Amino acid sequence: MNLAFRNAVQGGDDKPKLPGSLHVNRRLDQWLSIQPEGTVTITPGKVELGQGILTALSQIAAEELDVALPRIVVRPASTPSSPDEAVTSGSLSVQESGMALRHACAEARGIFVGVIAQRTGVSRDEIAVQDGDFVAPDGRVIGSYWSMADAALLDLEATPGDRAKPASARRITGTSAPRLDLPAKIFGQPRFVHDMRLPGMLHARMVRPAARGATLAALREGPLPGGAAIFRSGSVLAAVAAQEHHAEAAATRLASRATWDATDTLPEEHAIAAWMEAAPREDSSVLERAAETPEPARRITRRFFRPFITHGSIGTSCAIAIWDGEQVEIWCHSQGIYNLRADLTKALRMPAEAILIHHMEGAGCYGHNGADDVALDAALIARAHPGTPIRVLWSRAEELAWGPASPAMIVDVAAEADEAGTLLRWSQKVLSNGHSGRPGRGALPTLLAASMMEDGFAVPPAINPPLAGGGGAQRNAVPPYRVPALTVDMARITAMPLRTSALRGLGALVNVWAIESVMDELAAQAGEDPLAHRLRHLDDARSRDVLARAAAMADWPNRVKRDGIGMGLAVSRYKGSGAWCAAVAEIEAGETIRCRRLWLAADVGEVVNPDGSLNQIEGGAIQATSLCLLEAVRHDARNVTSDSWETYPILRFTDVPRVQAELIARPEAPPLGAGECSLGPVIAAIANAIADALDVRVTRWPFTPENIARAMDDA
């Protein structure tokens, strides 16, 4: 669980409060160490997923220690030596890991300066730190971090108190330092777990069941390419070979020889919404605010529907495992190595100290994909081949069809306003499976093979974290606008035909789309400009600022109505507690909908690396464009059928909109994550732009010609 979720669940403790993840990982030497050769090693528990976090964390450490950025070396997360920072998710890495490192490095600086002051008699307040050297007022170098590297000065717990530099004194953070991870990737150097090769390594390819819940009834014998071996545990089936192409060919042959006991377990694709309404559920209230209001002059009711969607990662999931006696060692691209270890202890029925997990970079995951699942695949096969490294690489079909999906959602909105369009009442009801099936959060393992292996486990239904931890289906279901009477409810579907879990933004994508669509309709009913309508309902100054900035960037007041061209805008504060973002979209309605331009304004508080933050905001906007215009999981009664790029299309480079993004600088404010704040506003802005161009409100995802035509028929 992420730190905010963990704190919400565990509550406070009796220890003095420390920033971010430092509160639950209190030793300074867990976070950094000084090396005699003149470098500083930092050891965060958050991991690089392509978001540039290791660069930002390095900047924070270099800033507080007063050393040059190239002196910072980042050690990838590994159990059990790294801090347990739960999961790298929710756009929380700077808030949790960055603030922990800022405090730890600032305290470390003070400790070293204090020792030098005692040794030399120079007042600690007069000692300057210049690239790791300690300099007296007369210019003499009186010591350095490196000269005391072996003194074990950081072998203690952090203490409370604000020692970090004020914003005005920062010189490294707040600048666009080049990404530390990019050179190796650009020049094709081995960096990903996929590139790792170990002596004597064998390659494995999984053979997936013929249907959800199917069991392996029989397997015909016969030779396999390259002398490949068969691995089987219950209904977990794989081919193992010395050569990768032999493993792949053998898996194909095994699939043709396998007989499965299978039944229809999935609802009809065209009837997902009806299935959702009839499925077993747990109802809960998210927020209720009562108020006496006059009779409304205007009322809008809308239902918004999104099917299952998936990650569409360009690379596929991969892991390597070695089983050596009583211990298994795993290299994988999990977002949460400690949470993964917790599930592996259950699935493998072995103690946590016998499981060693190293993070290595993999494909961008955009939420919870198959990175944890493939680790269990590799561990199971490695147990059958002691002492031999086993590498498991998923296929494209596995990645798209067997990785966790983001759940289908229904959001019902009913809004009431007076004659002038002023909001009186708002009701929002969210129906969805849970949005988190991540490992380590329940009594049962959630990993794919755990339910298929011999003596396996039931598949636990996905959960929704509480709002204090960011929420799941209910994320951003509370509108940001002033409304006297408000009711927000959530129903979590407990039956799970497809395994569901987190995808970038979780429920915010649908909730923001629903809220901003209804706000546009209310503005139109009142004859009011959508921008003015929002501004007069927003009490939050930072929401108003990003909305006004995005509108100015797009020259919103001077837009001209053109045939087939539409413009729309939207705003939200991610999770209601994170970064603010507003978007203006320009679309062209032809044979299909094409998003031509996006203007984005964001407020992420203190910005550690402006270029990195803008990359995240722009990347989220482009992914949001792909999600809402193209993406939907397709399936029949037994399996996912959208298991290729032809059947699960994503946005191509030729269709990427032109994106202009700006940050509102607030160096004195706490930092907030940038990775997910743009998705909801972009989807909503595109929907509003379609309504502007075609005078039809699209309420079914994706915004394809078929769904737009359906909306026209329903109008």
Side-chain angles (χ1 to χ4, degrees):
M1 61 185 74
N2 66 43
L3 189 69
F5 185 22
R6 182 161 58 196
N7 286 344
V9 172
Q10 294 178 341
D13 54 36
D14 58 358
K15 295 181 179 180
K17 182 63 180 173
L18 294 174
S21 304
L22 190 62
H23 188 72
V24 291
N25 302 274
R26 303 178 74 89
R27 296 192 62 82
L28 293 176
D29 55 2
Q30 283 184 287
W31 293 92
L32 75 156
S33 60
I34 308 296
Q35 310 305 320
E37 63 271 19
T39 60
V40 178
T41 300
I42 61 172
T43 55
K46 298 295 186 183
V47 300
E48 183 64 61
L49 304 169
Q51 80 279 41
I53 189 58
L54 299 187
T55 304
L57 296 179
S58 297
Q59 288 179 260
I60 291 170
E63 183 73 77
E64 295 303 327
L65 290 167
D66 281 313
V67 301
L69 185 58
R71 291 191 185 274
I72 303 296
V73 177
V74 187
R75 189 175 70 201
S78 180
T79 64
S81 57
S82 298
D84 180 359
E85 293 202 76
V87 180
T88 305
S89 64
S91 297
L92 291 168
S93 292
V94 171
Q95 292 166 255
E96 294 181 353
S97 194
M99 295 306 95
L101 266 170
R102 173 170 284 171
H103 186 100
C105 291
E107 185 162 0
R109 181 186 187 278
I111 290 169
F112 277 83
V113 169
V115 171
I116 287 293
Q118 289 178 340
R119 290 180 179 179
T120 63
V122 179
S123 170
R124 63 182 299 151
D125 294 333
E126 295 182 331
I127 297 174
V129 185
Q130 298 176 0
D131 195 20
D133 289 334
F134 303 120
V135 182
D138 60 5
R140 289 179 298 123
V141 175
I142 55 177
S144 68
Y145 288 123
W146 336 117
S147 64
M148 296 184 286
D150 299 324
L153 297 180
L154 303 180
D155 185 12
L156 74 168
E157 281 200 1
T159 57
D162 188 7
R163 303 172 183 83
K165 293 180 181 179
S168 59
R170 297 173 191 149
R171 299 292 180 266
I172 299 175
T173 58
T175 64
S176 294
R179 284 266 297 270
L180 301 178
D181 60 311
L182 287 186
K185 296 173 181 176
I186 291 171
F187 293 106
Q189 299 168 5
R191 186 177 180 97
F192 298 108
V193 64
H194 307 68
D195 303 320
M196 185 177 177
R197 295 293 185 273
L198 295 174
M201 187 167 71
L202 298 179
H203 299 269
R205 290 292 188 276
M206 310 306 295
V207 180
R208 297 301 176 192
R212 258 49 182 185
T215 57
L216 183 58
L219 185 65
R220 297 198 314 275
E221 295 183 356
L224 294 173
I230 299 171
F231 171 81
R232 179 181 178 182
S233 173
S235 295
V236 178
L237 181 64
V240 186
Q243 299 295 321
E244 196 166 1
H245 66 280
H246 286 149
E248 191 164 338
T252 301
R253 193 166 298 179
L254 284 178
S256 68
R257 295 176 182 170
T259 301
W260 301 89
D261 286 335
T263 58
D264 295 350
T265 59
L266 302 183
E268 294 291 335
E269 186 179 315
H270 69 274
I272 296 175
W275 174 86
M276 293 171 66
E277 291 183 299
R281 66 177 70 181
E282 293 178 352
D283 295 308
S284 60
S285 174
V286 178
L287 178 66
E288 186 165 0
R289 183 169 64 234
E292 291 293 331
T293 59
E295 281 298 312
R298 310 181 188 284
R299 192 172 197 272
I300 291 176
T301 59
R302 285 288 187 188
R303 165 166 285 194
F304 297 85
F305 170 77
R306 188 196 72 177
F308 294 98
I309 57 173
T310 194
H311 301 80
S313 301
I314 297 298
T316 61
S317 296
C318 181
I320 297 170
I322 302 177
W323 194 286
D324 185 8
E326 298 301 313
Q327 177 177 283
V328 62
E329 190 169 8
I330 299 169
W331 291 262
C332 67
H333 51 115
S334 169
Q335 290 174 266
I337 56 173
Y338 283 95
N339 284 40
L340 171 59
R341 187 178 70 172
D343 262 23
L344 289 175
T345 63
K346 302 163 195 168
L348 299 173
R349 297 176 172 88
M350 60 190 299
E353 56 268 23
I355 302 172
L356 181 61
I357 304 177
H358 309 286
H359 180 268
M360 289 187 70
E361 291 180 52
C365 57
Y366 321 119
H368 180 206
N369 67 352
D372 295 308
D373 299 323
V374 74
L376 177 56
D377 291 341
L380 287 171
I381 300 170
R383 184 163 59 180
H385 296 80
T388 302
I390 300 294
R391 176 179 179 267
V392 179
L393 177 68
W394 276 18
S395 67
R396 171 64 51 210
E398 283 178 279
E399 193 71 34
L400 290 173
W402 288 94
S406 183
M409 292 183 67
I410 294 173
V411 175
D412 288 312
V413 176
E416 297 178 354
D418 64 15
E419 187 65 33
T422 302
L423 284 172
L424 300 173
R425 292 180 172 274
W426 191 289
S427 169
Q428 187 143 330
K429 298 179 180 179
V430 183
L431 176 63
S432 170
N433 281 115
H435 281 252
S436 180
R438 291 187 184 277
R441 295 183 177 177
L444 296 174
T446 64
L447 306 171
L448 178 62
S451 64
M452 302 177 182
M453 58 190 282
E454 187 175 353
D455 196 18
F457 302 81
V459 180
I463 63 170
N464 286 306
L467 274 182
Q474 79 277 41
R475 183 170 294 182
N476 280 99
V478 177
Y481 301 103
R482 186 191 328 108
V483 55
L486 176 63
T487 302
V488 179
D489 295 316
M490 175 180 67
R492 179 177 71 101
I493 298 172
T494 54
M496 198 166 62
L498 291 179
R499 196 168 52 116
T500 65
S501 194
L503 187 143
R504 198 177 191 178
L506 283 72
L509 277 60
V510 183
N511 284 313
V512 174
W513 165 38
I515 291 167
E516 293 297 283
S517 294
V518 171
M519 285 298 289
D520 246 36
E521 289 197 85
L522 288 169
Q525 281 189 359
E528 188 174 15
D529 181 85
L531 173 61
H533 183 70
R534 286 171 170 78
L535 288 174
R536 74 179 178 92
H537 282 95
L538 281 171
D539 292 328
D540 179 55
R542 292 169 78 169
S543 292
R544 294 171 61 88
D545 287 348
V546 293
L547 186 56
R549 175 73 69 88
M553 292 164 60
D555 196 22
W556 178 267
N558 298 315
R559 67 194 187 283
V560 177
K561 186 72 175 176
R562 292 170 288 168
D563 187 42
I565 305 296
M567 291 184 71
L569 53 74
V571 65
S572 77
R573 183 181 186 190
Y574 186 52
K575 303 184 198 173
S577 59
W580 291 260
C581 185
V584 177
E586 179 185 85
I587 67 97
E588 180 178 4
E591 291 184 5
T592 60
I593 299 296
R594 179 170 179 241
C595 183
R596 306 196 326 172
R597 296 194 67 180
L598 290 168
W599 296 267
L600 306 166
D603 176 350
V604 298
E606 179 200 346
V607 180
V608 174
N609 186 314
D611 185 59
S613 295
L614 288 169
N615 286 342
Q616 285 293 287
I617 290 164
E618 293 168 9
I622 293 169
Q623 184 178 20
T625 304
S626 178
L627 286 166
C628 71
L629 293 182
L630 297 170
E631 298 185 37
V633 170
R634 310 299 304 271
H635 58 86
D636 56 26
R638 295 197 170 187
N639 248 329
V640 170
T641 57
S642 52
D643 59 359
S644 68
W645 292 132
E646 290 72 30
T647 52
Y648 192 89
I650 60 174
L651 201 69
R652 296 177 178 270
F653 283 111
T654 53
D655 296 318
V656 169
R658 179 183 172 189
V659 182
Q660 180 182 345
E662 294 183 6
L663 298 170
I664 294 179
R666 300 194 191 274
E668 302 286 351
L672 301 167
E676 296 171 285
C677 67
S678 62
L679 278 85
V682 164
I683 291 167
I686 290 173
N688 288 336
I690 293 170
D692 181 53
L694 301 177
D695 196 28
V696 63
R697 177 60 53 186
V698 57
T699 58
R700 294 184 67 87
W701 177 319
F703 308 155
T704 56
E706 294 78 12
N707 280 334
I708 293 172
R710 182 171 179 173
M712 290 177 173
D713 292 339
D714 293 341

